[in-house]
Amino acid sequence: MADKQPLIQPDRGQEAISIHLVNRDGFQGWVKKLSASQRAALEAQKFDGSGYQVGIVPDGDSWFAVGGVANPDELSSWCMARLAESLPAGTYRRAEGEPGPALHGWQTAQYVFDRYKQPERPVGPRVLLTKEVKAIDPAIAEAEAVCLVRDLVNTPAEDMGPAALEEQCEALAKKHSATLKVTKGDALEQEYPMVHAVGRAAARHHAPRIMQLSWGKEGDPVLAIVGKGVCFDSGGLDVKSAAGMLLMKKDMGGAAHAIALADLVMGAGLPVRLHLLVPAVENAISGNSFRPGDVLKSRKGLTVEIGNTDAEGRLILGDALQRASEEKPELILDFATLTGAARIALGPDYPALMTREDATAEALIAAGKAHDDEPWRLPLPDAYREWLNSDIADTSNAHANSFAGASVAGLFLDKFVGEGIDWAHFDTFAWRPQAKPGRPKGGDAYGLRAAWHMLRARFGGG
């Protein structure tokens, strides 16, 4: 976040700059209430109420702000984000009504990734007041979760390798008094053979591991959250092109989502027995890289022929999903930057969603629509399962044709989820190629808020 102090605070009548929200349809009627000099100021700024416009209006010795929105009566998460990006440091309140869902974008708009480069002209915090006091803490937690995903994804692989993801999980466990088990070395090879095989070529300080965090009462329903933690993906021996490798620091975006979601679950005290699983590897190239044509053992006992070493994320998820299934969870959610096919189909803004249960898909989509984070469901077609057949192993990790890549990857994961378990898989991009209000270019969360609000509704978290 832009500053440590809360960017959302209770409105107790303290001094603040007013923000008026208007749209194009209502602008002419609203502007008639202003003085001639105020109207001239807005005209000079070419303000007409269009979406995301920001205007400054002089008012005696002070001023107020005006923002263009689609509908002042039905705000979205992003309606006040441009204001938060553009206005000077200070304290603000909406003049007519409360900000409601716009609390989210107000905070995320002030996100700055400054680990390696300080802004040339840093701006202090823009604080927004609200009388909806009960909404403040949940809104802050949700925005912090999104910004955590951004921080983790934006950090280059040298500083966000498997050991750094382990440190994130350690901090999370300490924060919420959870139990953390880390498996690596010889134990990893025995217990999670596919995680070990994918990560074994990396340098020692980026050695593979899997983190398992447990939290909550034993008698509560079990919720498993799994995140793909490929901290850098060279493609392995099926090496990627230079262009294809450029953004591969973000290939641990699924782990970032899973860690952030687990933080929300524990922070809200959701009545669940949580199991967070983060397999963390670097898919590197060296003399002991796993090879095309190799057959790997898996934790489940299935053998997997390697059709492509660049389809490695599904391998580490397979072992993690098997471990999650052993807890007999009521629900498994997994997040992964898994396939280019999902991005070709849906672009960056819509995470691909695959589920076994229609009701789970419907709940996630409804939660996403309500909170401006809509996933798009793709099928898990039985007709395509045969594309993963292998002549020498129980399954292949990649199919030979170029059809339905996201769904076929989902079908591979489905093999490692226990029978009868409700399971949802997010194939998310975790990267924003172009900035939008409240959403700067770089690492970003897609599907996180949809999952979080579905979980709150399902497990009674408020």
Side-chain angles (χ1 to χ4, degrees), residues 58-303:
D59 188 17
D61 294 332
S62 185
W63 57 275
F64 61 85
V66 57
V69 297
N71 184 349
D73 298 323
E74 295 182 11
L75 300 186
S76 74
S77 298
W78 315 116
C79 281
M80 298 180 70
R82 183 69 78 196
L83 289 153
E85 292 171 348
S86 304
L87 293 173
T91 301
Y92 297 85
R93 68 162 55 86
R94 184 183 173 192
E96 301 97 0
E98 297 300 314
L103 291 173
H104 182 76
W106 182 273
Q107 297 173 90
T108 59
Q110 298 182 57
Y111 170 83
V112 177
F113 184 67
D114 57 5
R115 178 168 177 169
Y116 305 100
K117 181 180 179 180
Q118 295 295 319
E120 292 183 6
R121 296 181 179 179
V123 180
R126 283 75 79 199
V127 175
L128 184 62
L129 305 178
T130 179
K131 294 179 180 177
E132 296 176 340
V133 177
K134 290 183 178 180
I136 293 175
D137 287 345
I140 290 174
E142 201 168 318
E144 287 180 343
V146 168
C147 292
L148 174 60
V149 173
R150 293 176 179 177
D151 277 345
L152 297 179
V153 174
N154 283 330
T155 303
E158 183 62 21
D159 294 327
M160 191 49 63
L165 278 183
E166 180 182 335
E167 291 174 1
Q168 288 292 324
C169 291
E170 287 176 346
L172 192 63
K174 183 177 181 180
K175 177 180 178 181
H176 298 290
S177 300
T179 300
L180 180 66
K181 178 183 178 182
V182 181
T183 305
K184 48 190 168 183
D186 292 341
L188 183 73
E189 185 174 7
Q190 293 299 315
E191 297 178 34
Y192 301 92
M194 292 199 294
V195 178
H196 176 268
V198 171
R200 71 192 185 199
R204 180 175 296 180
H205 67 290
H206 288 318
R209 65 205 70 196
I210 186 167
M211 283 72 76
Q212 181 183 353
L213 180 149
S214 302
W215 172 90
K217 297 178 181 177
E218 291 286 353
D220 284 341
V222 176
L223 166 67
I225 301 174
V226 180
K228 172 190 169 185
V230 177
C231 297
F232 189 80
D233 183 16
S234 69
L237 292 178
D238 289 311
V239 62
K240 293 179 181 288
S241 67
M245 216 181 293
L246 189 59
L247 282 181
M248 283 301 100
K249 68 176 184 179
K250 78 170 187 66
D251 212 19
M252 41 60 67
H257 282 72
I259 290 168
L261 182 58
D263 193 14
L264 285 169
V265 167
M266 293 185 286
L270 218 61
V272 296
R273 175 65 175 168
L274 174 67
H275 288 271
L276 168 69
L277 286 139
V278 178
V281 302
E282 179 177 345
N283 188 19
I285 300 172
S286 73
N288 67 337
S289 296
F290 75 116
R291 311 164 191 84
D294 280 354
V295 174
L296 304 184
K297 296 179 180 179
S298 68
R299 181 181 179 90
K300 186 171 184 177
L302 291 176
T303 54

